[in-house]
Amino acid sequence: DVQLVESGGGSVPVGGSLRLSCVSSVGYVFSSHCMGWFLQAPGKEREGVAALNIDGKTTYADSVKGRFTISQDSAKNTLYLQMDSLNPEDTGMYYCAAGRLRNGYCYSLLNRLAYNNWGQGTQVTVS
């Protein structure tokens, strides 16, 4: 299985920015998996916020469109989530996830059931 380690969380004021990182234990993860970022707010279920398909296509939740950007650096085995114009509703634990392809592609990328490898999470607090 792929091991994922997130970092970059912290406390920021409303309107601030953070960049989360997710390092993979294997070098081929981006050529064989789809990748996603999920947010679990206090008392709520884990929800997808951004995802990257095997062909480079990105998907974003409506709540973060125009504010968050998902990207990858294959040379560093690292997935990123740039978060701008943060607001209190963005507060929670952010998880990185990797999902295996089905027939060479990934579907329903903002659904947690599409993923089978998860990191331990990094906390983001906006106030």
Side-chain angles (χ1 to χ4, degrees), residues 31-116:
S31 62
S32 60
H33 292 72
C34 296
M35 305 296 296
W37 285 99
F38 284 72
L39 164 64
Q40 188 159 17
K44 295 186 178 181
E45 293 188 354
R46 196 172 299 187
E47 297 181 338
V49 296
L52 185 63
N53 215 321
I54 195 68
D55 60 357
K57 182 178 178 181
T58 56
T59 302
Y60 295 95
D62 289 342
S63 60
V64 306
K65 283 180 180 177
R67 301 189 299 120
F68 288 14
T69 304
I70 187 171
S71 63
Q72 68 182 51
D73 185 335
S74 300
K76 296 181 179 180
N77 301 335
T78 303
L79 181 74
Y80 300 101
L81 184 67
Q82 177 66 42
M83 306 188 295
D84 299 318
S85 302
L86 286 162
N87 59 61
E89 289 70 38
D90 299 319
T91 293
M93 190 71 78
Y94 282 77
Y95 296 90
C96 171
R100 294 196 187 100
L101 308 182
R102 289 182 290 163
N103 298 318
Y105 206 63
C106 291
Y107 304 90
S108 303
L109 284 175
L110 297 183
N111 187 326
R112 60 184 178 178
L113 297 179
Y115 300 86
N116 58 310

Side-chain angles (χ1 to χ4, degrees), residues 11-29:
S11 295
V12 295
V14 173
S17 297
L18 280 175
R19 188 176 78 158
L20 306 183
S21 299
C22 170
V23 179
S24 166
S25 62
V26 296
Y28 57 82
V29 63

